[in-house]
Amino acid sequence: MDILLAQIQADLRSNDALRQSGALLQALQQSAAGRDISVIAKSAVEEIVLSPASAVSKKLAFDLIRNTRLTADLWEVVCAGIRNDLSFHDPDVTAAAVSILAALPSHRLGILISDCSKEISSCFDSVSQNLRFATTETLGSVLARDDLVTLCENNFNLLDKVSYWWKRIGQNMLDSADAVSKVAFESVGRLFQEYESKKMSRLAGDKLVDSENSVAIRSYWVSSMVEFVWRKRNALMSRSLIIPVESFRATVHPLVYAVKAVASGSLEMIEKFYMSSRMAKIEKNVSSNAERLVGVSDVVSHLAPFLNSSLDPALIFEVGVNMLYLADVPGGKPEWASASIIAILTLWDRQEFSSARESIVRAVVTNIHLLDLSMQVSLFKRLLLMVRNLRAESDRMHALACICRTALCVDLFAKESVRRGQKPLPGTDVISLFEEARIKDDLNIVSSKSLFREELVAMLVESCFQLSLPLPELKSSGMESRVIGALAYGTGYGALNWTEPALEVVEVCKPCVKWDCEGRTYAIDCYLKLLVRLCHIYDTRGGVKRVKDGASQDQILNETRLQNLQRELVKALPEVNSPRVCARLIWSIAEHVNLEGLDPLLADDPDDPLNIIVSSIHKVLFNPDLSAATTNSLQDVQAVLLCAQRLGSRHARAGQLLTKELEDYRNDNAADSVNKHQTRLILQRIKYVQNHPESKWAGFSEASGDYPFSHHKLTVQFYDASAAQDRKLEGLVHKAILELWRPNPSELTLLLTKRNDSALLKVPPNAVTLTGSSDPCYIEAYHLTDSNDGRITLHLKVLNMTEIELSRVDIKVGLSGPLVYMDGSLQAVRQLRSLASQEPVWCSVTLAVSSFERCALWVQVMYYPYFGAGDPDDYDDEDYVNIMRHNGTLNQDAGDPVILRCQPYKIPLTELLLPHKISPVEYFRLWPSLPAIIEYTGAYTYEGSGSTATAAQQYGASPFLSGLKSLSSKPFHKVCSHIIRTVAGFQTFLSETAMLCCKDLVRRLLRHDDIWFQ
């Protein structure tokens, strides 16, 4: 191995381009094999990058640099070589130098671009297609980075140059060379996509930044590019038609985004960011609404032929998705959406696109509301089967949420249209939409290995509950505004109009009570919860209301349907497989059934509802399920005993029947002492009510509409695999529902709507001084933390306090604790050159946190007072001096450095914690499963009372507690309703101190129950 490395180094030192290329290829092979080639990389930098060489050797050397780690000194040599190559006479060498800009570290890239901006600008005017391609490709990926944007904030000359470069990239979309035109389209599309999707908070290449001015600068670039594409749209469409068809995909998104931004009015919102800044205003032409609609129609006509004539599935999908994006603009036509959706659905059976079926379904179900009502109905059943066949859980749940919302939307919209005098459209009710044969078979079969039917029932029910809540307010137009508008149109007729599709949902999902789900109950619990809610709203206890009582025809019809459904569920009680589900179904029916409406002549009929309920209660009491898969069967017995008390108190015949059953149960060996005492108390209440009919209140109360059961179990006390599956399904359903019905607005949207009031505009933290007052270099530091990704960036401000210029200052950052560098290097060194007196210089380093432990950063400053003090006369060989002067490495004798050690910069533990949104009930349920070894007692004083009580820190408490400043001002019920968990892969594994401190909070909280439940 040593012989091979020595041979490669010898070839690199030769002046033979062929030998150098072969040596570099061998080095790349060794790097791909996982061998250490740092010695070869150093030789490549010194012999190839810094010296004149062929374009092939330069490209191979840069590839080698990308595959290895370089020291700070070698990076300085690389930058010197790039400066030389940018003005080289061979355009291929210059193209290689431009292409490596994207691989430079962020702390070196900005300086290099500032120094070489003139040479970079001249590359756009080169006659070489290869150089124009490399310049457009590299700058298109580099200029959108936040480290460049941050540099532009403080350097307006550079901002003008970068803005000019973006203008030239836009003009290159019309370049005569197909390769240059394609890469220019890709660069503009990347600019648009990153602006829409990226976090506005502080991710800058490989560091976190604290300034939000980058949003305004990027908005300026996006706005100017949108204006350019809008003005040149006809020329750009013509250019895209003569580009090779395999490159046509790159031209679609830039055109569509720019045209929609103008047509929908979002361009005006983007312009608000930079209007108040010092940036130059963009000259723009005000377009009328007619011109905007014509522009959108022209782009649609330009894209539509590719939906049917193209043989490339990826191109069909790209065009279809972007046409759906355009169909949502004001004045958009349903025909645009229908053509796109039909073309996308044809890809389902294409073998080469089979791995992207999730993307097909997601694109269609997300945009199905753009179709007219009849088209939605005709596609619904096919889409439902497609969703059923999806493999990825997250995609299936999101698609299922869209399908369920579409069903409710279609049902509400159609019924409201009929109320307003329009012709009814068949098949728009929820029952008809879900009557596909395979779906009905899934719902009606008792035992099934598929979980899809449980997901469908849970999603339908949760969608109904979301429909019962106030709809979100959307100020801007968009895809969601159409859905919200349709739902508001359907529910605006009455406050309880959401109950009409909910009634059909409980009828569709009725077979779920007979399922054998191997212990899982989440879907059934959701169904019964909705049933109880509807029974409470329509007050089924009191029977069907009459017209003379003020009831409308719709109300009478709905109450009749609901009571018929209750009777059908009563008849299904003997077919219920699980005593647990049977007990919960008895509760749901017995609380709301109309006992006064029962026919007294059928008292001895076994099909009488009351007789069926009593026999089912007998079955639960005397035949409890004691299998290993069922836990806490005591809950089932307690539930039916409470049902017996309320039923016997409400109805005389029910009291007589239940008295006999309870007497038998009290004398049976199946009852333990607790249940026997409870049975005796229930019998006394039933007998008291029978003897005092006017005192029925003693035995029962009004129905509250609550469903007191849950699939949750204490995981420590009762381990149950079915409970874990229920929790997983619940999490997936709730996540999909919230993402669809109550999505969190993007950070860009929040900035557009709230502007200065947005919480995203963070105040920079206070800096900490790391040096003493007499030190020659003043170091000031602050850090930013991203707890979601487990990243910390340390920002350093270096100030030369002497009266002379320091030629070289090295900043080294050491680590203690679970910290690693984000770039994977073993050390962090920042070399600062030419530090003038009293002029601050900034540098930064980003780290990842691997575990929840104490950590600190140790900064060391090394400055060289004699750096570059050597004289050319010290060298004997004049040729050697000339070579060194040409390479820019003359007078590099650093001498002995002066080392300045700063005080450690400690990271507070609290900044590594991320609170978890959880209710107090779920918190207590999960709390016993968290580890704890010993107990810790903290000292608190209570300020205030009730839900406003806070825990103020007393003097002399634990150092850890003194760091919890954010907790001391929050109400106790908010502090203890969170599970403290960490990020970056160590979720709920807590440090002992943090865990015990939190446990102490809960223990003290239990002594103040009034705080929790107010």
Side-chain angles (χ1 to χ4, degrees):
M1 185 65 189
D2 294 337
I3 298 176
L4 177 61
L5 294 180
Q7 180 64 40
I8 293 175
Q9 288 179 302
D11 290 343
L12 290 177
R13 295 189 188 99
S14 68
N15 292 325
D16 188 351
L18 187 59
R19 289 179 61 187
Q20 289 178 338
S21 301
L24 290 170
L25 287 173
Q26 283 186 327
L28 287 172
Q29 290 176 349
Q30 297 300 318
S31 175
R35 297 184 176 90
D36 183 15
I37 57 168
S38 55
V39 178
I40 300 177
K42 180 179 179 181
S43 300
V45 169
E46 295 175 349
E47 304 296 338
I48 304 298
V49 176
L50 192 59
S51 304
S54 65
V56 175
S57 299
K58 291 280 187 180
K59 291 178 182 179
L60 292 174
F62 288 139
D63 289 338
L64 189 64
I65 291 174
R66 292 186 181 98
N67 292 331
T68 187
R69 297 191 183 101
L70 300 182
T71 62
D73 292 329
L74 287 180
W75 274 121
E76 188 68 29
V77 178
V78 169
C79 292
I82 293 174
R83 289 187 179 93
N84 295 335
D85 290 343
L86 286 177
S87 56
F88 201 72
H89 60 84
D90 186 354
D92 291 335
V93 173
T94 306
V98 170
S99 65
I100 194 60
L101 293 178
L104 293 180
S106 60
H107 60 277
R108 296 186 179 275
L109 178 62
I111 300 175
L112 183 62
I113 288 185
S114 299
D115 296 341
C116 304
S117 58
K118 182 178 179 181
E119 291 81 359
I120 294 174
S121 298
S122 63
C123 294
F124 284 104
D125 300 321
S126 173
V127 295
S128 172
Q129 173 185 334
N130 188 21
L131 180 55
R132 297 200 309 274
F133 174 85
T135 305
T136 305
E137 181 184 39
T138 304
L139 293 183
S141 62
V142 168
L143 296 184
R145 282 170 42 173
D146 280 347
D147 43 6
L148 258 296
V149 179
T150 305
L151 189 65
C152 292
E153 295 177 19
N154 304 316
N155 189 339
F156 279 90
N157 291 328
L158 180 61
L159 175 61
D160 293 338
K161 294 173 183 176
V162 174
S163 301
Y164 170 74
W165 291 342
W166 274 118
K167 180 180 178 181
R168 292 303 306 267
I169 291 174
Q171 292 173 353
N172 278 357
M173 290 189 289
L174 298 172
D175 194 273
S176 58
D178 291 336
V180 178
S181 177
K182 176 192 174 183
V183 78
F185 273 109
E186 290 175 345
S187 300
V188 174
R190 189 182 303 113
L191 174 67
F192 292 157
Q193 288 174 343
E194 289 185 358
Y195 183 75
E196 284 292 321
S197 62
K198 80 175 292 146
K199 282 183 172 181
M200 295 295 109
S201 60
R202 318 170 323 194
L203 187 61
D206 60 350
K207 64 182 179 179
L208 302 174
V209 296
D210 59 345
S211 175
E212 295 295 339
N213 293 331
S214 60
V215 181
I217 294 176
R218 192 174 286 103
S219 300
Y220 177 75
W221 294 340
V222 169
S223 179
S224 60
M225 195 62 69
V226 167
E227 285 290 339
F228 174 80
V229 175
W230 174 254
R231 290 196 310 269
K232 300 289 186 179
R233 62 185 183 275
N234 292 325
L236 291 172
M237 286 188 287
S238 301
R239 180 66 182 90
S240 65
L241 290 177
I242 59 175
I243 205 170
V245 68
E246 59 269 12
S247 303
F248 182 81
R249 280 182 60 195
T251 69
V252 176
H253 182 70
L255 280 169
V256 170
Y257 181 90
V259 170
K260 183 173 181 179
V262 174
S264 63
S266 61
L267 179 61
E268 287 76 5
M269 300 294 292
I270 297 174
E271 290 173 348
K272 290 181 180 180
F273 280 116
Y274 68 86
M275 283 300 185
S276 58
S277 64
R278 291 176 289 174
M279 285 179 285
K281 301 299 183 289
I282 300 175
E283 296 183 4
K284 51 179 294 185
N285 299 322
V286 179
S287 304
S288 62
N289 291 333
E291 184 180 357
R292 293 178 179 181
L293 187 58
V294 169
V296 174
S297 180
D298 289 343
V299 175
V300 171
S301 302
H302 165 69
L303 297 177
F306 291 91
L307 290 176
N308 301 319
S309 60
S310 176
L311 299 178
D312 182 12
L315 177 58
I316 295 176
F317 183 79
E318 182 76 17
V319 172
V321 169
N322 281 276
M323 283 185 62
L324 290 173
Y325 189 65
L326 284 178
D328 193 47
V329 300
K333 299 178 181 180
E335 291 81 5
W336 300 347
S338 60
S340 302
I341 287 178
I342 291 173
I344 292 175
L345 288 177
T346 59
L347 302 176
W348 180 266
D349 297 322
R350 296 282 289 268
Q351 185 175 1
E352 61 268 35
F353 212 73
S354 59
S355 60
R357 287 184 171 181
E358 287 81 2
S359 302
I360 295 174
V361 175
R362 195 179 186 95
V364 174
V365 298
T366 305
N367 297 280
I368 191 174
H369 58 273
L370 299 175
L371 304 174
D372 55 24
L373 205 59
S374 59
M375 189 75 172
Q376 292 185 42
V377 173
S378 62
L379 284 178
F380 187 85
K381 295 177 183 178
R382 181 182 177 186
L383 286 176
L384 191 57
L385 290 178
M386 288 182 172
V387 172
R388 180 175 177 266
N389 294 327
L390 291 182
R391 295 162 295 178
E393 285 181 340
S394 58
D395 292 317
R396 185 171 69 247
M397 300 306 283
H398 176 82
L400 198 55
C402 292
I403 283 287
C404 293
R405 187 177 70 169
T406 299
L408 299 178
C409 185
V410 167
D411 182 85
L412 284 168
F413 193 88
K415 288 178 179 176
E416 184 61 23
S417 299
V418 172
R419 289 193 189 101
R420 301 191 181 192
Q422 298 183 20
K423 183 179 179 180
L425 184 66
T428 55
D429 56 296
V430 174
I431 296 177
S432 300
L433 291 173
F434 287 94
E435 64 180 4
E436 204 278 333
R438 277 173 282 187
I439 300 299
K440 290 182 68 175
D441 291 343
D442 271 352
L443 293 176
N444 285 289
I445 193 172
V446 174
S447 180
S448 174
K449 294 182 179 180
S450 173
L451 293 178
F452 176 74
R453 60 179 188 172
E454 297 176 43
E455 297 169 354
L456 176 61
V457 169
M459 195 69 74
L460 264 175
V461 172
E462 293 292 351
S463 299
C464 290
F465 283 129
Q466 289 295 322
L467 191 60
S468 67
L469 301 175
L471 297 173
E473 296 182 3
L474 294 177
K475 297 181 180 179
S476 60
S477 61
M479 293 186 180
E480 287 301 308
S481 63
R482 294 200 175 206
V483 182
I484 300 303
L487 293 175
Y489 175 82
T491 57
Y493 183 77
L496 296 180
N497 268 12
W498 71 271
T499 59
E500 295 186 6
L503 274 172
E504 298 194 5
V505 167
V506 293
E507 290 183 1
V508 168
C509 302
K510 178 181 60 179
C512 73
V513 297
K514 304 177 184 179
W515 289 348
D516 179 11
C517 298
E518 300 178 351
R520 298 184 299 272
T521 61
Y522 172 63
I524 303 174
D525 283 333
C526 289
Y527 173 79
L528 294 180
K529 189 186 300 183
L530 179 60
L531 177 67
V532 169
R533 177 78 64 86
L534 292 174
C535 291
H536 177 68
I537 290 174
Y538 284 105
D539 190 20
T540 53
R541 249 190 203 187
V544 179
K545 312 300 182 297
R546 294 172 295 183
V547 176
K548 66 179 183 179
D549 296 329
S552 64
Q553 293 294 334
D554 289 340
Q555 182 180 352
I556 294 173
L557 178 61
N558 293 337
E559 290 183 2
T560 303
R561 290 176 62 184
L562 191 55
Q563 298 220 3
N564 292 336
L565 178 65
Q566 282 183 329
R567 295 189 183 96
E568 293 177 8
L569 290 174
V570 169
K571 293 180 180 179
L573 271 172
E575 303 177 37
V576 176
N577 282 278
S578 167
R580 165 144 303 169
V581 176
C582 184
R584 297 180 180 188
L585 183 57
I586 291 172
W587 172 281
S588 305
I589 297 173
E591 283 290 290
H592 301 276
V593 68
N594 179 22
L595 294 176
E596 304 300 333
L598 299 179
D599 190 349
L601 299 178
L602 300 177
D604 298 331
D605 189 350
D607 294 333
D608 178 60
L610 184 56
N611 290 335
I612 296 177
I613 293 175
V614 172
S615 62
S616 300
I617 291 177
H618 175 89
K619 178 182 177 182
V620 175
L621 290 177
F622 290 94
N623 299 293
D625 191 347
L626 301 178
S627 61
T630 305
T631 60
N632 199 10
S633 60
L634 177 63
Q635 184 187 68
D636 307 335
V637 175
Q638 293 288 329
V640 295
L641 286 177
L642 194 54
C643 286
Q645 173 187 315
R646 298 187 177 186
L647 273 177
S649 303
R650 282 173 54 198
H651 194 265
R653 184 162 68 90
Q656 295 172 0
L657 296 174
L658 290 170
T659 299
K660 180 179 179 302
E661 295 293 338
L662 294 176
E663 289 284 1
D664 294 342
Y665 178 68
R666 190 177 65 168
N667 298 324
D668 193 88
N669 294 330
D672 57 17
S673 59
V674 176
N675 288 334
K676 287 182 179 180
H677 284 296
Q678 184 175 357
T679 304
R680 181 174 56 83
L681 178 61
I682 292 173
L683 286 170
Q684 289 177 355
R685 289 183 175 179
I686 292 176
K687 291 177 181 178
Y688 179 84
V689 171
Q690 288 175 347
N691 297 330
H692 304 80
E694 73 282 357
S695 301
K696 288 185 178 181
W697 56 268
F700 77 99
S701 59
E702 290 296 327
S704 62
D706 293 331
Y707 181 75
F709 303 100
S710 172
H711 65 279
H712 289 283
K713 302 178 183 69
L714 294 176
T715 55
V716 173
Q717 185 177 0
F718 303 108
Y719 173 76
D720 194 345
S722 62
Q725 290 177 328
D726 274 334
R727 284 194 298 272
K728 179 182 178 181
L729 178 58
E730 181 187 27
L732 292 171
V733 170
H734 284 183
K735 181 181 179 181
I737 285 288
L738 291 179
E739 286 179 351
L740 187 66
W741 289 83
R742 301 289 189 271
N744 292 326
S746 66
E747 296 183 2
L748 177 61
T749 304
L750 291 176
L751 287 173
L752 286 171
T753 54
K754 295 186 178 180
R755 194 60 179 154
N756 295 330
D757 296 334
S758 175
L760 299 173
L761 297 174
K762 299 177 176 61
V763 178
N766 296 325
V768 178
T769 302
L770 302 182
T771 56
S773 57
S774 61
D775 291 328
C777 281
Y778 172 79
I779 307 293
E780 196 176 69
Y782 70 91
H783 74 281
L784 298 169
T785 305
D786 187 353
S787 54
N788 291 288
D789 294 331
R791 283 193 272 200
I792 296 174
T793 292
L794 180 70
H795 291 269
L796 296 171
K797 175 184 177 182
V798 183
L799 185 64
N800 178 13
M801 302 297 291
T802 66
E803 296 181 356
I804 62 174
E805 181 181 272
L806 298 179
S807 300
R808 173 177 172 180
V809 175
D810 291 352
I811 306 294
K812 294 186 177 181
V813 181
L815 308 177
S816 64
L819 300 175
V820 293
Y821 295 109
M822 281 297 297
D823 58 2
S825 60
L826 301 178
Q827 60 178 348
V829 180
R830 298 291 182 262
Q831 291 184 348
L832 308 178
R833 300 295 177 92
S834 303
L835 268 69
S837 177
Q838 302 298 324
E839 288 189 8
V841 178
W842 291 91
C843 61
S844 61
V845 58
T846 300
L847 314 115
V849 186
S850 59
S851 63
F852 183 78
E853 298 176 18
R854 293 183 180 274
C855 51
L857 303 173
W858 304 77
V859 179
Q860 187 181 76
V861 182
M862 303 174 65
Y863 69 95
Y864 300 80
Y866 307 108
F867 178 79
D871 190 79
D873 295 335
D874 297 339
Y875 300 98
D876 297 328
D877 190 353
E878 183 178 354
D879 293 335
Y880 180 77
V881 172
N882 293 333
I883 293 175
M884 296 294 287
R885 182 179 288 111
H886 171 76
N887 292 342
T889 59
L890 184 64
N891 298 335
Q892 297 298 308
D893 185 12
D896 294 331
V898 177
I899 301 176
L900 176 64
R901 292 181 175 87
C902 306
Q903 66 177 359
Y905 188 91
K906 297 181 179 179
I907 306 296
L909 284 174
T910 51
E911 301 206 5
L912 306 180
L913 302 179
L914 185 67
H916 182 55
K917 294 181 180 179
I918 193 170
S919 68
V921 176
E922 293 171 321
Y923 179 80
F924 277 125
R925 187 175 293 117
L926 186 57
W927 181 254
S929 64
L930 296 177
I933 302 174
I934 59 175
E935 292 188 353
Y936 182 87
T937 303
Y940 301 94
T941 57
Y942 296 104
E943 297 180 356
S945 60
S947 60
T948 61
T950 60
Q953 191 65 45
Q954 283 188 349
Y955 177 78
S958 165
F960 176 82
L961 294 176
S962 63
L964 298 177
K965 295 180 181 179
S966 60
L967 301 184
S968 63
S969 60
K970 292 183 179 179
F972 247 20
H973 70 280
K974 289 186 177 180
V975 173
C976 294
S977 64
H978 289 78
I979 299 277
I980 297 181
R981 68 179 176 88
T982 49
V983 293
F986 43 94
Q987 292 96 4
T988 56
F989 296 97
L990 310 180
S991 75
E992 179 182 326
T993 310
M995 166 62 66
L996 301 177
C997 171
C998 193
K999 276 226 169 187
D1000 178 71
L1001 291 178
V1002 174
R1003 186 173 62 256
R1004 289 180 171 272
L1005 184 65
L1006 291 175
R1007 302 173 188 171
H1008 298 268
D1009 292 340
D1010 58 318
I1011 298 177
W1012 271 99
F1013 301 107
Q1014 286 189 3

